[in-house]
Amino acid sequence: MRYARVIIDISAEQVDRAFTYRIPEDLEDRIVPGVRVRVPFGNADRNRIGFVIDITDHVDFPEERIKPVASLLPKALNTGSELIELAAFMASEYGCTMNQALQTVLPVKKIIGKNRRRKDPVRRIEDLSGAEAVQDEALNPEQASVCASILRNSGRPVLLYGITGSGKTRVYIELIRHMQAAGKQTIVLIPEISLTYQTVRELTKHLGQRVAVMHSRLSQGEKYEQYRKAADGEIDVMVGPRSALFTPFTKLGLIVIDEEHERTYQSDTSPRYDTRTVAAQRAAMTGACLVLGSATPSLESYTKALNGEYDLQVMKSRAHPGALLPSIHITDMRREMERGNRSIFSGMLQDMISDRLERKEQVMLFLNRRGYAGFVSCRSCGTVIKCPHCDVSMTAHNNWYIDPYTGERRAALLSCHYCGHTQPMPSSCPQCGSPYIAPFGTGTQKLEQAARKMFPAAKILRMDADSTTAKGSYEQILSSFQKGEADILIGTQMIVKGHDFPKVTLVGIVAADLSLNTSEYDASERTFQLITQAAGRSGRGSRAGDVVIQSYDPSHYAVGLAAQQDYERFYEREMSFRRLLHYPPDIYMMQVRIRSEDEGMTAEAAELAAEICVREFGPAGAILIGPCNESVYKINDNYRKILYIKHSSHDIIKKIRGTLEEALSARFGGRKVWTAFDIR
Ligand code: ADP
Ligand code: ZN
Ligand code: ZN
């Protein structure tokens, strides 16, 4: 007799363990780990859906008490036991239930209809780009030696630090070929959907048809079809954002995480996993090779590389024959203001754009829209209001008032995310007395309007969250720019990452320090990455490129060192700041977020967490900051608080998480208090 151990698909902690069911004879061959089944559960004579995690042939309790599996869900994918093992790792590493972990690693729930007439997503991209197979350029010596050492690899993850344009994609392709020759499969992870077009186009050009894509914009039916091809071995390469890590390949040989420094590799829903960590686990389980690629490695990964935990591989020159690093110019927007130039464009950027338009070359203008939420700066001298205790910028809160004299909307209160310090919004700049001080706000739409007004003859495209809501819109905009149908592409960080447009010879970074002024401890790292990546889009082909960095704070090391493209010096500089103030990766930091519709209960839970942390883990060296209100204190009628807990040991941090979870559920169990833990 054979039995299946089944995790019931209900989000309740109490049932988060495996239940045993008898496998009926007719299903014997088809019930394997990873499939979904219907099983009787609970008192109600109702069947529930569950995941089979394992098969066994003996049980410790009387046979007659064991119920049979009722049915197998149709078209179950055979995903193998590897992904279930991975789910178990995630449940313990991120403190989630096994059910949640399984939901994440076995994401295709059911097939909704059959969509035979729809074109395969990979074919859609090929058609748009008109890409044809190419004769390959040989690897250059730098690329060849990197490939050789990766293939000789000892099993450690590899950090491939290659400057922008050094041809990392070419290296990935070579590695994938080796895998294919050995009958092995590859997962290529990209930080966001907008990069699918570029990556798939490049890969299919070199690798032909055995490439598939996976991302959230595919329908359930399309997703199922891609996964089925993977499970059946019809393809060797899967490309997609972080969830593609869970592709059910049975002969995985390589995982590539491109642009590994991107924050999108950190999941923002439970389980709040770090893709790099889970990928390392999957690679270790299967003996696959893991390659993390970036021109601006995260401080965390570079630290691991320096410690020998990762194998460091470096590429320092641009690959395209004749391509040079672009010339980089910094313009000081405070001086522009002094000279009476109040437009978004500095004199230099205006001149250079006109020049490119005349020469029929392309321009990219980049504005980091996400970065500026709420920070307050002086338009005359560039001063940003910072917390006196934490050296991070203060954030303007959601409570606004109308200035009685000017009729302007003003933020009434500034606060610090880290220590909770608050102060009133000043009416003039504390440095220079200028009245032009306000929460910063300029968006891509405004930028587009300004560009159209200044360059009426130019053809302009805009790519941001608003212009890409329709299915296929990323591909449309990017392919249109690629084909030279527009002169200027305006966008948010979406246009910065990884794109390769050889005709772009000018990149304008419109407000380079916007991202310096978020209230995050890693604001400088983000800024350095954004400027370096944006600058890296210019002059990738045979024509020389320029980059204009517009800044209110040109003396900041993140701006200066990005302009010099000097990653190593930035790393040293930034790490000394992290060590001084005890921020990751110098130590581990856990964010504990607490929310409830009941304001008192939110406060009570936060206090309880703080008290336990100090009492039980203070002596072991845990550092507690907070609790304080989240920057947006109330969302959807929920009151939100946050605590930061720091410790040098990952195990202790995880132990604190377990203790807090237990204590909070003992005190508030059944009542509506939610907690979320993020460890960095
Ligand atoms: P990265 O991802 O490192 O920024 P890409 O992989 O996009 O760089 O490569 C940059 C450009 O150099 C691309 O246009 C690519 O086709 C070209 N390239 C890469 N490797 C070679 C090579 N060995 N010979 C000629 N051109 C190359
Ligand atoms: Zn000022
Ligand atoms: Zn503070």
Side-chain angles (χ1 to χ4, degrees), residues 277-301:
T277 307
V278 181
Q281 178 69 18
R282 187 165 184 197
M285 276 164 42
T286 50
C289 176
L290 170 62
V291 175
L292 308 167
S294 177
T296 52
S298 61
L299 265 62
E300 198 184 331
S301 294

Side-chain angles (χ1 to χ4, degrees), residues 596-609:
S596 169
E597 284 188 13
D598 183 321
E599 189 170 13
M601 219 136 76
T602 306
E604 200 186 321
E607 285 307 326
L608 177 67

Side-chain angles (χ1 to χ4, degrees), residues 257-265 276 293-299 301 497 525-526 529-530 533:
I257 303 187
D258 195 25
E259 315 282 349
E260 67 85 26
H261 60 277
E262 288 294 340
R263 206 179 260 184
T264 45
Y265 285 123
R276 295 164 302 183
S294 177
T296 52
S298 61
L299 265 62
S301 294
K497 294 169 199 166
E525 185 182 1
R526 296 291 151 200
Q529 288 164 349
L530 280 168
Q533 295 282 350

Side-chain angles (χ1 to χ4, degrees), residues 467-484:
S467 70
T468 51
T469 46
K471 195 163 178 156
S473 47
Y474 293 105
E475 288 95 330
Q476 290 293 348
I477 297 172
L478 291 171
S479 72
S480 162
F481 192 62
Q482 177 91 32
K483 290 177 193 153

Side-chain angles (χ1 to χ4, degrees), residues 180-410:
Q180 286 181 319
K184 293 195 172 168
Q185 299 152 325
T186 303
I187 295 171
V188 178
L189 301 180
I190 51 178
E192 57 178 81
I193 301 179
S194 67
L195 276 172
T196 317
Y197 169 75
Q198 148 106 8
T199 312
V200 169
R201 191 174 55 103
E202 229 13 64
L203 294 184
T204 51
K205 241 166 51 176
H206 291 86
L207 299 167
Q209 305 294 306
R210 295 179 63 87
V211 178
V213 290
M214 175 59 56
H215 55 71
S216 59
R217 292 198 173 198
L218 300 182
S219 68
Q220 285 286 334
E222 285 171 321
K223 279 186 195 170
Y224 176 84
E225 189 50 23
Q226 304 288 310
Y227 272 153
R228 188 200 57 73
K229 285 185 185 169
D232 294 350
E234 283 174 28
I235 52 155
D236 318 306
V237 185
M238 181 65 90
V239 180
R242 59 175 187 251
S243 61
L245 175 59
F246 307 114
T247 302
F249 279 138
T250 50
K251 293 188 211 106
L252 186 63
L254 172 67
I255 304 173
V256 172
I257 303 187
D258 195 25
E259 315 282 349
E260 67 85 26
H261 60 277
E262 288 294 340
R263 206 179 260 184
T264 45
Y265 285 123
Q266 187 82 33
S267 164
D268 48 11
T269 53
S270 186
R272 305 166 84 84
Y273 65 93
D274 175 51
T275 309
R276 295 164 302 183
T277 307
V278 181
Q281 178 69 18
R282 187 165 184 197
M285 276 164 42
T286 50
C289 176
L290 170 62
V291 175
L292 308 167
S294 177
T296 52
S298 61
L299 265 62
E300 198 184 331
S301 294
Y302 201 70
T303 302
K304 287 182 179 168
L306 295 183
N307 292 342
E309 194 176 324
Y310 292 170
D311 171 29
L312 181 62
Q313 297 292 331
V314 183
M315 298 201 296
K316 282 271 172 176
S317 49
R318 284 205 158 170
H320 191 96
L324 298 170
L325 280 175
S327 310
I328 299 187
H329 320 270
I330 302 182
T331 59
D332 186 335
M333 295 309 277
R334 297 170 300 188
R335 299 290 95 80
E336 298 286 324
M337 178 96 174
E338 265 170 30
R339 271 193 242 121
N341 175 12
R342 291 196 187 176
S343 88
I344 297 182
F345 305 108
S346 60
M348 181 183 236
L349 186 54
Q350 285 173 30
D351 292 348
M352 285 200 172
I353 295 176
S354 309
D355 174 64
R356 297 310 135 109
L357 292 174
E358 249 163 55
R359 283 167 31 192
K360 304 256 174 293
E361 293 174 2
Q362 286 181 308
V363 177
M364 285 170 89
L365 296 177
F366 162 69
L367 184 70
N368 173 17
R369 195 158 65 156
R370 269 183 240 158
Y372 71 72
F375 83 90
V376 175
S377 72
C378 169
R379 295 299 299 270
S380 302
C381 77
T383 291
V384 171
I385 310 289
K386 290 197 164 177
C387 173
H389 309 296
C390 304
D391 198 31
V392 290
S393 57
M394 305 279 287
T395 303
H397 269 222
N398 253 3
N399 42 348
W400 299 83
Y401 72 97
I402 305 291
D403 187 307
Y405 300 103
T406 64
E408 279 175 81
R409 248 160 66 98
R410 278 187 174 282

Side-chain angles (χ1 to χ4, degrees), residues 137-140 143 162-170 198 202 319-321 498 500 537 540:
E137 325 93 3
L139 293 182
N140 64 33
Q143 294 168 334
I163 63 160
T164 54
S166 58
K168 292 183 287 295
T169 318
R170 195 64 193 72
Q198 148 106 8
E202 229 13 64
H320 191 96
D500 187 39
R537 295 315 115 207
R540 294 166 71 88

